[in-house]
Amino acid sequence: MGHKEELFSQSCRYTLRIHILKKATMIDLFKPYSFAGHHLKNRFVMAPMTRARRPDYIADAETALYYRQRATAGLIVTEGTPVSPEGQGYINVPGIWSEAQVAGWKLVTDSVHEEGGTIFAQLWHVGRMSHVSLQPNGNAPVSSTATPARDPKSQAFIYLADGSTGFAEPSVPRPLGTEEVARVVADVAKAGRNAQAAGFDGVELHSANGYLFEQFLNPILNTRDDRYGGALENRARIVLETIDALIAEIGASRVGIRLAPFNRQFDMSAYDDNGETYLYLARELSARGIAYVHLNDNWAAGHSVIGEDFLPRFRNAFDGTLILAGAMTLERAQKLADANLIDLPAFGQPFIANPDLVARLREGTPLATPDRATYYGGGAKGYVDYPTLANEKRT
């Protein structure tokens, strides 16, 4: 591209950004919204949250009840569901690699659809954020690298030596061989087929929060010298190959992705072209016509990492539906939607203790506080026993 053409391109992008920022109209978040052939009853998204309630790794009737209770959300994205035994980093999380798991998730999708909801399965491979006790034959976890995650908050959820459950330092990984990457891509594609068989409306590829796909995107971590390392296009190759495989299996309108620009969670180092990495992905994903991009504004450090100066740039690069999660509030959701910076706000932890969160937000009712001690593992307590607003009014 010549100098004049580049200046023209920059001018066009700048003009589009100004247009977006000036296009401020009041959006009713409680009204229906449609995208890629999916029709939501409102714009609220329930973000994926690991709950670790299934020792047999199969969703069951209680899992179905948990999601049914929260099906007033316009869109539910499930807890991360491992695409293979190798992809696990947490015990007791229902997977999606076997026929029995497909049947279990069918209970969930039927329940949500009976309530008029829409539900996507989040497809998960944790990469190096795992432990040998979770891996087939006690093997080392796989990653882009042999460098383990060693910041204090990097933990796998396992059975400890005394038989209790708890968190442990992830094991030292081994880098995937170049030819092995195709196997991982195939595992995800199979999970996409399984999700469709289980009745999911679509899938979300988990490429955020320091898990496998971000381990390839980050050049501080990914020091490979093959076709999956080095230049930005190489580091992003596994993400795009996996998206292409999912599109081939179930169609672009059923494929979403979760990304976490500027993420520092799970020992992810800062790097200079972080912003451009995600803008490159935005352009490539836009060209593929996928259903949505789900950005996670990761607050692991206690503050927002996706500044509102970056959102317009991402919005310009991706012309599909854009979801944003991360310490979301109704006020922030309204502000960003009105400015046309996002389409759908995603809420995570508030949905745990407020199964009817949408109704509570509509009525301005104070929100219940979830019990953090019951986030991971256990039974019905802290899982399906939180009351709805209607129940509270009756009592």
Side-chain angles (χ1 to χ4, degrees), residues 363-385:
E363 297 190 21
T365 304
L367 302 183
T369 302
D371 177 8
R372 296 188 66 88
T374 60
Y375 276 13
Y376 302 106
K381 179 175 173 54
Y383 187 53
V384 295
D385 62 341

Side-chain angles (χ1 to χ4, degrees), residues 238-257:
I238 186 175
V239 175
L240 296 175
E241 286 182 350
T242 305
I243 288 292
D244 288 341
L246 286 169
I247 290 172
E249 289 291 342
I250 63 176
S253 66
R254 293 177 177 271
V255 177
I257 189 171

Side-chain angles (χ1 to χ4, degrees), residues 176-186 216 224 228 238 241:
L176 281 164
T178 303
E179 302 308 317
E180 282 188 285
V181 173
R183 173 180 59 75
V184 174
V185 172
F216 275 83
R224 303 169 69 98
Y228 295 101
I238 186 175
E241 286 182 350

Side-chain angles (χ1 to χ4, degrees), residues 292-352:
Y292 67 75
V293 169
H294 183 178
L295 294 180
N296 184 30
D297 187 4
N298 199 306
W299 284 60
H303 57 80
S304 170
V305 294
I306 299 180
E308 291 182 18
D309 59 333
F310 179 76
L311 273 178
R313 298 173 64 200
F314 195 95
R315 184 69 147 171
N316 291 350
F318 179 73
D319 61 7
T321 288
L322 186 59
I323 304 171
L324 181 68
M328 187 60 68
T329 64
L330 181 59
E331 293 72 23
R332 188 183 184 208
Q334 191 70 63
K335 174 186 172 184
L336 294 175
D338 288 348
N340 197 31
L341 292 176
I342 66 169
D343 298 297
L344 306 174
F347 293 75
Q349 295 178 54
F351 265 110
I352 292 178

